[in-house]
Amino acid sequence: VADVAATIEQLLGADAVFRGDPRPYLSDETETRNLVGTCDAVVRPDSPAAVATLVAWAYEHDVPIVARGGGTGYAGGAVPRGGIVVSLERLDRIRSFDPLVWRMHVDAGVTTERVRRTARESGLYFPPDPGAGEQSHIGGNIATNAGGPHAFKYGTTGAWVTGLEAVVPPGEIVRFGGPIRKDVASYDLRSLLVGSEGTLAIVTGAWLRLVPAPEASQSIVAFYANAAAGVEAIETVLGSGLLVAALEYVDAGALAAAPPPFAPGQGEAFAVLVDVDGSAAEVEQLRLAVLEVLADNARVLHAPDGASEQAAVWRWREGMTAGVTALRGGKVSEDIVVPLDRLREAIERTVEIGEAHGLPACSWGHAGDGNLHSTFMIDRTDGLDVERAERAAEALFALAVELGGSISGEHGTGLVKSGHLEQFLPGRGAELHRSVKSIFDPKNLLNPGKKQ
Amino acid sequence: VADVAATIEQLLGADAVFRGDPRPYLSDETETRNLVGTCDAVVRPDSPAAVATLVAWAYEHDVPIVARGGGTGYAGGAVPRGGIVVSLERLDRIRSFDPLVWRMHVDAGVTTERVRRTARESGLYFPPDPGAGEQSHIGGNIATNAGGPHAFKYGTTGAWVTGLEAVVPPGEIVRFGGPIRKDVASYDLRSLLVGSEGTLAIVTGAWLRLVPAPEASQSIVAFYANAAAGVEAIETVLGSGLLVAALEYVDAGALAAAPPPFAPGQGEAFAVLVDVDGSAAEVEQLRLAVLEVLADNARVLHAPDGASEQAAVWRWREGMTAGVTALRGGKVSEDIVVPLDRLREAIERTVEIGEAHGLPACSWGHAGDGNLHSTFMIDRTDGLDVERAERAAEALFALAVELGGSISGEHGTGLVKSGHLEQFLPGRGAELHRSVKSIFDPKNLLNPGKKQ
């Protein structure tokens, strides 16, 4: 097609094609490892029907299409390599909100935080809390099955999606599930789309379920001398049968880059962060039980009072990514998962892999889910550093598989983790994965090169 | 194949083929509507490898294979129409149980109740509670994504399965997920198998996640004058933001068949059953709040004390199926789902559909999930009655679709609800469903005729 943008303008109207600087549409958080894409046009459809028209046109003319939400991904899933970027940002309506039956129906381009805030204003709770909620879209969260700290108690995004509206090649709007809480009438094609990173269909809308907001919550931060002592505390929380809402950790290398206010003191090299929620009485009971467990070998315990102090705990936790990036200017960060009883090994071996590749390494993440954000810090301007980090990441994926885990818990595989399918899903498993792709997208035009 | 049984004996050993009366392997709960199948052999493999060998042999010789768990299904999903019945009953090992990290790894043939009991003995909880837990297998629960009363708070079986081991045609053992709590490395083929009723693969093992058992629970039964008053109470429980564990109802027709001890009194024609759980303090707080809401228009309230009185409430609830069946000797029972705000309409129209077809009708079920067990009572020996009920069921499915719901919430479509795919999943949706079947089972030998 000679002039993609002009052709699409004719098809969808002039305001559907973005004519400004395309650069904000070409990268995501993997820019910290120098990943920037290219595209032929940035299109911003204003309705599911417009998305369907666009997919039909692209399918007819063999033009790749890369769906894009808020661009906060960590795997390059939304980094295009030519073709059309379809930004869902104009699909930003809350289609309906029925607080009395704990339900919301939204466009794919509504931000995560807007869903959470709207729910909260009616006493309800949408639990998924990936970072960057003000920027990330619900559609993007669905595309990666995004997690976050509270996924430990509440599950990842998919657990809160009861239905999807999606455009499936060669250009039809299909609905899987809906405003219902159970459905086993067909194969679970809804779950198949969750986490598929825009490679099977383009999600345009979602039915979400909500729960009553917990009456109270309380955060606790504990510092330990080393990973061994910290992980032991984490295991004791679980082994004591304490159903906390979030159970996070920060290792020594990440602590060194942590923003205020919780700086590690002398001899403190590992932090455990716990959130408990529920009724006020339950929170008080859980808080005391957790404090007792954490205190055992802790060097320092913080149990901040009041909402603003507790918000500070989570800002501190969320600041980890920026802090670690700032250390050397760039980073290669993955999100491997291991069985809970291999957490300590995975934390320690992340650092060893860094050492073996000549790179400072650290990790933090969702301890209760065995989900590590294992990170190699790099100088982005140093090509050798970037290469080293890519090799270190390969070693990390091998470690995850060796420990019986997964190469991705919540970021997806995108561009940066593609090519490992056979490693964790050998033989017929990988074949089935590829066959699923080919029945949804026989021409391989939806986000090609990703999730494979 | 001349003598299927003899050939399989040579392949898997003499004890793998069941030589007794095959009748117990030819039906499930749909026997109440006269559904009984036929088969060429009943095979009971003693290992996943034996299942793989069997599938490979069947695939080579074009012999259908019907996987079978405890035989407690309500949709004829395990009713064979020729071919081999593969009973998983000898795959009954708990492969490992790690209570400290809330995890169990089981063979597919372990009973639901054994999983629940084993968990409970270590202070943990496996929430899925479909009826007939002493007989049903975890593999069967996975095959239908079984629900139960507590699915309202805790979700259906799939929410508790982190990994599956399954035999996929033409005879390979594949593992999807594992002992990990998050995984977004490939398409979610694990969720695709959950609820697929043995039509895509034969599940041989599962990794389950568990939670700490709630400290306390309390059941409440309230009786109302009619469905309008009862459903209003249910809506008020939700609208008040009370996160109860189970929220059930029993309508007038079902109450008439209910076993002791909760017989409806004069002017009582609808029951609401609520279960709350959590810490002791939370349960007390929730119990009072629920009692206040339910009391508003209730004619009678029962809030039984003590564990044995509360167990009696659930035995009463579980006795509903047998009671309703006994009324006329048989029944056609479906499990449609509707959006929560259409519950009253679905309950009332179930009775109207029965009237229009000359059959007494009733319903009970999982109100909080909008999941009705809509039932037409029949005389099984009367062919006309059976025919009428099948037509009534068609009208019921149309109602579910009209109300924006689903034709099955937890029983699956099996044999009795096949043929409706296009009704709720038109166009490309149904095509994708069929394509998924064809990539897993290109020869259509796994449980043919089901889920389509």
Side-chain angles (χ1 to χ4, degrees), chain B residues 321-384:
Chain B
T321 298
V324 168
T325 307
L327 277 181
R328 300 195 64 210
K331 67 174 173 58
V332 166
S333 196
E334 306 297 352
D335 74 316
I336 62 169
V337 185
V338 296
L340 285 174
D341 34 355
R342 310 306 289 270
L343 179 64
R344 177 180 161 188
E345 193 173 350
I347 292 171
E348 292 175 348
R349 287 179 66 182
T350 292
V351 176
E352 289 168 21
I353 288 171
E355 279 166 8
H357 291 82
L359 291 172
C362 67
S363 71
W364 67 94
H366 315 304
D369 280 329
N371 190 186
L372 294 77
H373 296 322
S374 293
T375 300
F376 306 106
M377 290 162 270
I378 59 168
D379 174 356
R380 282 169 64 183
T381 64
D382 181 343
L384 201 61

Coordinates of all heavy atoms in Angstrom, one line a residue, chain B residues 321-384:
Chain B
T321 N -31.6 -32.0 45.0 CA -31.7 -32.7 43.8 C -32.4 -34.0 43.9 O -33.4 -34.3 43.2 CB -30.2 -33.0 43.3 OG1 -29.6 -31.8 43.1 CG2 -30.2 -33.8 42.1
A322 N -32.1 -34.8 45.0 CA -32.8 -36.1 45.2 C -34.3 -35.8 45.5 O -35.1 -36.6 45.0 CB -32.1 -36.8 46.3
G323 N -34.6 -34.8 46.3 CA -36.0 -34.5 46.6 C -36.8 -34.2 45.4 O -37.9 -34.7 45.2
V324 N -36.3 -33.3 44.6 CA -37.0 -32.9 43.4 C -37.1 -34.1 42.4 O -38.2 -34.3 41.8 CB -36.3 -31.7 42.7 CG1 -36.9 -31.5 41.3 CG2 -36.4 -30.5 43.6
T325 N -36.1 -34.9 42.3 CA -36.2 -36.1 41.4 C -37.3 -37.1 41.9 O -38.1 -37.6 41.1 CB -34.8 -36.9 41.4 OG1 -33.8 -36.0 41.1 CG2 -34.9 -38.0 40.4
A326 N -37.4 -37.2 43.2 CA -38.3 -38.2 43.8 C -39.8 -37.8 43.5 O -40.7 -38.6 43.4 CB -38.1 -38.3 45.3
L327 N -40.0 -36.5 43.3 CA -41.4 -36.0 43.1 C -42.2 -36.8 42.0 O -43.3 -37.2 42.2 CB -41.5 -34.5 42.8 CG -41.4 -33.6 44.0 CD1 -41.4 -32.1 43.5 CD2 -42.5 -33.8 45.0
R328 N -41.5 -36.9 40.8 CA -42.2 -37.6 39.7 C -41.3 -38.7 39.2 O -41.7 -39.3 38.1 CB -42.5 -36.6 38.6 CG -43.5 -35.5 39.1 CD -44.1 -34.7 37.9 NE -45.0 -35.6 37.1 CZ -45.1 -35.5 35.8 NH1 -44.5 -34.5 35.1 NH2 -45.9 -36.3 35.1
G329 N -40.2 -39.0 39.8 CA -39.4 -40.1 39.3 C -38.2 -39.7 38.4 O -37.3 -40.5 38.2
G330 N -38.4 -38.6 37.8 CA -37.3 -38.1 36.9 C -37.3 -36.6 36.8 O -38.2 -36.0 37.2
K331 N -36.3 -36.1 36.1 CA -36.2 -34.6 35.9 C -35.2 -34.3 34.8 O -34.3 -35.1 34.5 CB -35.8 -33.9 37.2 CG -34.4 -34.2 37.6 CD -34.0 -33.3 38.8 CE -32.7 -33.6 39.4 NZ -31.6 -33.5 38.5
V332 N -35.5 -33.2 34.2 CA -34.5 -32.6 33.2 C -34.1 -31.3 33.9 O -34.9 -30.4 34.1 CB -35.2 -32.4 31.9 CG1 -34.3 -31.4 31.0 CG2 -35.4 -33.7 31.1
S333 N -32.8 -31.2 34.2 CA -32.3 -30.1 35.0 C -31.2 -29.4 34.3 O -30.3 -30.1 33.8 CB -31.8 -30.7 36.4 OG -31.6 -29.6 37.3
E334 N -31.2 -28.1 34.1 CA -30.2 -27.4 33.4 C -29.5 -26.4 34.4 O -30.0 -26.3 35.5 CB -30.7 -26.7 32.2 CG -31.5 -27.6 31.3 CD -30.7 -28.7 30.6 OE1 -29.4 -28.7 30.8 OE2 -31.2 -29.7 30.0
D335 N -28.5 -25.7 34.0 CA -27.8 -24.8 34.9 C -27.5 -23.5 34.2 O -26.3 -23.1 34.1 CB -26.5 -25.5 35.4 CG -25.4 -25.6 34.5 OD1 -25.7 -26.0 33.3 OD2 -24.3 -25.3 34.8
I336 N -28.5 -22.9 33.7 CA -28.3 -21.6 33.0 C -27.7 -20.5 34.0 O -27.9 -20.6 35.2 CB -29.6 -21.1 32.4 CG1 -30.7 -20.8 33.4 CG2 -30.1 -22.1 31.3 CD1 -31.9 -20.1 32.9
V337 N -27.1 -19.5 33.4 CA -26.6 -18.4 34.1 C -27.2 -17.1 33.5 O -27.3 -17.0 32.3 CB -25.0 -18.3 34.0 CG1 -24.5 -17.2 34.8 CG2 -24.4 -19.6 34.3
V338 N -27.5 -16.1 34.4 CA -28.0 -14.8 33.9 C -27.3 -13.7 34.7 O -26.7 -14.0 35.8 CB -29.5 -14.7 34.1 CG1 -30.3 -15.7 33.2 CG2 -29.9 -14.8 35.5
P339 N -27.2 -12.5 34.1 CA -26.7 -11.4 34.9 C -27.5 -11.3 36.2 O -28.7 -11.6 36.2 CB -27.0 -10.2 34.0 CG -27.0 -10.8 32.6 CD -27.7 -12.1 32.7
L340 N -26.8 -10.9 37.2 CA -27.4 -10.9 38.6 C -28.8 -10.1 38.6 O -29.7 -10.5 39.3 CB -26.5 -10.3 39.6 CG -25.3 -11.2 40.0 CD1 -24.4 -10.4 40.9 CD2 -25.9 -12.4 40.7
D341 N -28.9 -9.1 37.8 CA -30.1 -8.2 37.9 C -31.2 -8.9 37.1 O -32.3 -8.3 37.0 CB -29.8 -6.8 37.5 CG -28.7 -6.7 36.4 OD1 -28.1 -7.7 36.0 OD2 -28.5 -5.6 35.9
R342 N -31.0 -10.0 36.5 CA -32.1 -10.7 35.8 C -32.5 -12.0 36.5 O -33.3 -12.8 36.0 CB -31.7 -11.1 34.3 CG -31.1 -9.9 33.6 CD -31.9 -8.7 33.5 NE -33.1 -8.8 32.7 CZ -33.2 -8.5 31.3 NH1 -32.1 -8.1 30.7 NH2 -34.3 -8.7 30.7
L343 N -32.1 -12.2 37.7 CA -32.3 -13.4 38.4 C -33.8 -13.7 38.7 O -34.3 -14.8 38.4 CB -31.6 -13.4 39.8 CG -31.7 -14.6 40.7 CD1 -31.2 -15.9 40.0 CD2 -31.1 -14.4 42.1
R344 N -34.5 -12.7 39.1 CA -35.9 -12.9 39.4 C -36.7 -13.3 38.2 O -37.5 -14.2 38.2 CB -36.5 -11.6 40.0 CG -38.0 -11.7 40.2 CD -38.6 -10.5 40.8 NE -40.0 -10.5 40.6 CZ -40.8 -9.4 40.9 NH1 -40.3 -8.3 41.3 NH2 -42.1 -9.5 40.6
E345 N -36.4 -12.6 37.1 CA -37.0 -12.9 35.8 C -36.7 -14.3 35.4 O -37.7 -15.1 34.9 CB -36.5 -11.9 34.7 CG -37.3 -11.9 33.5 CD -36.9 -10.8 32.5 OE1 -36.1 -9.9 32.9 OE2 -37.3 -10.9 31.4
A346 N -35.5 -14.8 35.5 CA -35.1 -16.1 35.1 C -35.9 -17.2 36.0 O -36.3 -18.2 35.5 CB -33.6 -16.3 35.2
I347 N -36.0 -16.9 37.3 CA -36.7 -17.8 38.2 C -38.2 -17.9 37.8 O -38.7 -19.0 37.7 CB -36.5 -17.3 39.7 CG1 -35.1 -17.5 40.1 CG2 -37.5 -18.1 40.6 CD1 -34.8 -16.8 41.5
E348 N -38.8 -16.8 37.6 CA -40.2 -16.8 37.3 C -40.5 -17.4 35.9 O -41.5 -18.1 35.7 CB -40.8 -15.4 37.4 CG -40.8 -14.9 38.8 CD -41.2 -13.4 39.0 OE1 -41.3 -12.7 38.0 OE2 -41.4 -13.0 40.2
R349 N -39.6 -17.1 35.0 CA -39.9 -17.6 33.6 C -39.6 -19.1 33.5 O -40.1 -19.8 32.6 CB -39.1 -16.8 32.6 CG -39.8 -15.4 32.4 CD -39.2 -14.5 31.5 NE -39.2 -15.0 30.1 CZ -38.6 -14.3 29.1 NH1 -38.0 -13.2 29.3 NH2 -38.7 -14.8 27.8
T350 N -38.7 -19.6 34.4 CA -38.5 -21.1 34.4 C -39.9 -21.8 34.6 O -40.2 -22.7 34.0 CB -37.5 -21.5 35.5 OG1 -36.2 -21.0 35.1 CG2 -37.5 -23.0 35.7
V351 N -40.6 -21.3 35.6 CA -41.9 -21.9 36.0 C -42.9 -21.7 34.8 O -43.6 -22.6 34.4 CB -42.4 -21.2 37.3 CG1 -43.8 -21.8 37.6 CG2 -41.5 -21.5 38.4
E352 N -42.8 -20.5 34.2 CA -43.7 -20.3 33.0 C -43.4 -21.2 31.9 O -44.3 -21.7 31.2 CB -43.6 -18.8 32.6 CG -44.2 -17.8 33.5 CD -43.8 -16.4 33.2 OE1 -43.4 -16.1 32.1 OE2 -43.9 -15.5 34.1
I353 N -42.1 -21.4 31.6 CA -41.8 -22.3 30.5 C -42.3 -23.7 30.8 O -42.8 -24.4 29.9 CB -40.2 -22.3 30.3 CG1 -39.8 -21.0 29.7 CG2 -39.8 -23.5 29.5 CD1 -38.3 -20.8 29.7
G354 N -42.2 -24.2 32.1 CA -42.7 -25.5 32.5 C -44.2 -25.5 32.2 O -44.7 -26.4 31.5
E355 N -45.0 -24.5 32.6 CA -46.4 -24.4 32.4 C -46.7 -24.5 30.9 O -47.6 -25.2 30.5 CB -47.0 -23.1 32.9 CG -47.2 -23.2 34.5 CD -47.5 -21.8 35.1 OE1 -47.6 -20.8 34.3 OE2 -47.5 -21.7 36.3
A356 N -46.0 -23.8 30.1 CA -46.2 -23.7 28.6 C -46.0 -25.1 28.0 O -46.6 -25.4 27.0 CB -45.3 -22.7 28.0
H357 N -45.2 -25.9 28.7 CA -44.9 -27.3 28.1 C -45.7 -28.4 28.9 O -45.3 -29.6 28.8 CB -43.4 -27.5 28.1 CG -42.7 -26.7 27.1 ND1 -42.4 -25.4 27.3 CD2 -42.4 -26.9 25.8 CE1 -41.8 -24.9 26.2 NE2 -41.8 -25.8 25.3
G358 N -46.6 -28.0 29.8 CA -47.3 -28.9 30.6 C -46.5 -29.7 31.6 O -46.8 -30.9 31.9
L359 N -45.5 -29.1 32.1 CA -44.6 -29.8 33.1 C -44.5 -28.9 34.4 O -44.3 -27.7 34.3 CB -43.3 -30.0 32.5 CG -43.1 -31.0 31.4 CD1 -41.7 -30.9 30.8 CD2 -43.4 -32.4 31.9
P360 N -44.6 -29.6 35.5 CA -44.2 -28.8 36.8 C -42.7 -28.5 36.7 O -41.9 -29.3 36.3 CB -44.5 -29.8 37.9 CG -44.5 -31.2 37.2 CD -44.9 -31.0 35.8
A361 N -42.4 -27.2 37.1 CA -41.0 -26.7 37.0 C -40.6 -26.0 38.3 O -41.5 -25.6 39.0 CB -40.9 -25.8 35.8
C362 N -39.4 -26.0 38.6 CA -38.9 -25.3 39.7 C -37.4 -25.0 39.5 O -36.8 -25.4 38.5 CB -39.0 -26.2 41.0 SG -37.9 -27.6 41.0
S363 N -36.8 -24.2 40.4 CA -35.4 -24.0 40.3 C -34.9 -23.7 41.7 O -35.6 -23.3 42.6 CB -35.1 -22.8 39.4 OG -35.5 -21.6 39.9
W364 N -33.6 -23.9 41.8 CA -32.8 -23.5 43.0 C -31.4 -23.3 42.5 O -31.1 -23.6 41.4 CB -32.9 -24.6 44.1 CG -32.2 -25.9 43.7 CD1 -30.9 -26.3 44.0 CD2 -32.8 -26.9 42.9 NE1 -30.7 -27.5 43.4 CE2 -31.8 -27.9 42.7 CE3 -34.0 -27.2 42.2 CZ2 -31.9 -29.1 42.0 CZ3 -34.2 -28.3 41.5 CH2 -33.2 -29.3 41.4
G365 N -30.5 -22.8 43.4 CA -29.2 -22.7 42.9 C -28.4 -21.5 43.5 O -28.7 -21.0 44.6
H366 N -27.4 -21.1 42.7 CA -26.3 -20.2 43.2 C -26.7 -18.8 42.8 O -26.3 -18.2 41.8 CB -25.0 -20.6 42.6 CG -24.7 -22.1 42.7 ND1 -24.8 -22.8 43.9 CD2 -24.5 -23.0 41.7 CE1 -24.5 -24.1 43.7 NE2 -24.3 -24.2 42.4
A367 N -27.6 -18.2 43.7 CA -28.2 -16.9 43.4 C -27.1 -15.8 43.1 O -27.1 -15.0 42.2 CB -29.1 -16.4 44.5
G368 N -26.1 -15.8 44.0 CA -25.0 -14.8 43.9 C -24.2 -14.9 42.6 O -23.7 -13.9 42.2
D369 N -24.2 -16.0 42.0 CA -23.6 -16.2 40.7 C -24.6 -16.1 39.5 O -24.2 -16.3 38.4 CB -22.8 -17.5 40.6 CG -21.4 -17.4 41.3 OD1 -20.8 -16.2 41.3 OD2 -20.9 -18.4 41.8
G370 N -25.8 -15.9 39.8 CA -26.9 -15.8 38.8 C -27.0 -17.2 38.1 O -27.4 -17.3 36.9
N371 N -26.7 -18.3 38.8 CA -26.7 -19.6 38.3 C -27.8 -20.5 38.8 O -27.9 -20.8 39.9 CB -25.3 -20.2 38.7 CG -25.0 -21.5 38.0 OD1 -24.0 -22.2 38.3 ND2 -25.8 -22.0 37.0
L372 N -28.8 -20.7 37.9 CA -30.0 -21.4 38.3 C -29.9 -22.9 37.9 O -29.5 -23.2 36.8 CB -31.2 -20.9 37.5 CG -31.7 -19.4 37.8 CD1 -30.8 -18.4 37.1 CD2 -33.1 -19.3 37.3
H373 N -30.4 -23.8 38.8 CA -30.7 -25.1 38.4 C -32.2 -25.2 38.0 O -33.0 -25.6 38.9 CB -30.3 -26.1 39.5 CG -28.8 -26.0 39.7 ND1 -27.9 -25.9 38.7 CD2 -28.0 -26.1 40.9 CE1 -26.7 -25.9 39.2 NE2 -26.7 -26.0 40.5
S374 N -32.5 -24.9 36.8 CA -33.9 -24.8 36.4 C -34.3 -26.3 36.0 O -33.6 -26.9 35.1 CB -34.0 -23.9 35.2 OG -33.8 -22.6 35.6
T375 N -35.4 -26.7 36.5 CA -35.7 -28.1 36.4 C -37.1 -28.4 36.1 O -38.0 -27.8 36.6 CB -35.4 -28.8 37.8 OG1 -34.0 -28.6 38.1 CG2 -35.7 -30.2 37.8
F376 N -37.3 -29.3 35.1 CA -38.6 -29.8 34.8 C -38.8 -31.2 35.3 O -38.0 -32.1 35.0 CB -38.8 -29.7 33.2 CG -38.5 -28.4 32.7 CD1 -37.3 -28.1 32.0 CD2 -39.4 -27.3 33.0 CE1 -37.0 -26.9 31.5 CE2 -39.1 -26.0 32.5 CZ -37.9 -25.8 31.8
M377 N -39.9 -31.4 36.0 CA -40.1 -32.7 36.7 C -40.9 -33.6 35.7 O -41.9 -33.2 35.2 CB -40.7 -32.6 38.0 CG -39.8 -31.9 39.0 SD -40.6 -31.2 40.4 CE -40.9 -29.5 39.9
I378 N -40.4 -34.8 35.5 CA -41.0 -35.7 34.6 C -41.2 -37.1 35.1 O -40.6 -37.5 36.1 CB -40.1 -35.9 33.3 CG1 -38.7 -36.4 33.6 CG2 -40.0 -34.5 32.6 CD1 -37.9 -36.8 32.4
D379 N -42.1 -37.8 34.5 CA -42.3 -39.3 34.7 C -41.4 -39.9 33.6 O -41.7 -39.9 32.4 CB -43.8 -39.6 34.5 CG -44.0 -41.1 34.5 OD1 -43.0 -41.9 34.6 OD2 -45.2 -41.6 34.5
R380 N -40.4 -40.5 34.0 CA -39.4 -41.1 33.1 C -39.9 -42.2 32.2 O -39.4 -42.4 31.1 CB -38.2 -41.7 33.8 CG -37.2 -40.7 34.3 CD -36.2 -41.3 35.3 NE -35.4 -42.3 34.6 CZ -34.5 -43.1 35.2 NH1 -34.4 -43.0 36.5 NH2 -33.8 -44.0 34.6
T381 N -41.0 -42.8 32.6 CA -41.6 -43.9 31.8 C -42.5 -43.4 30.8 O -43.0 -44.1 29.9 CB -42.3 -44.9 32.7 OG1 -43.4 -44.2 33.3 CG2 -41.4 -45.4 33.8
D382 N -42.8 -42.0 30.8 CA -43.7 -41.4 29.9 C -42.9 -40.7 28.8 O -42.4 -39.6 29.0 CB -44.6 -40.4 30.6 CG -45.6 -39.8 29.7 OD1 -45.5 -39.8 28.5 OD2 -46.6 -39.2 30.3
G383 N -42.9 -41.3 27.6 CA -42.1 -40.8 26.5 C -42.5 -39.3 26.1 O -41.6 -38.5 25.8
L384 N -43.8 -39.0 26.2 CA -44.2 -37.7 25.9 C -43.7 -36.7 26.9 O -43.3 -35.6 26.5 CB -45.8 -37.7 26.0 CG -46.5 -36.6 25.2 CD1 -46.2 -36.6 23.8 CD2 -48.0 -36.7 25.5

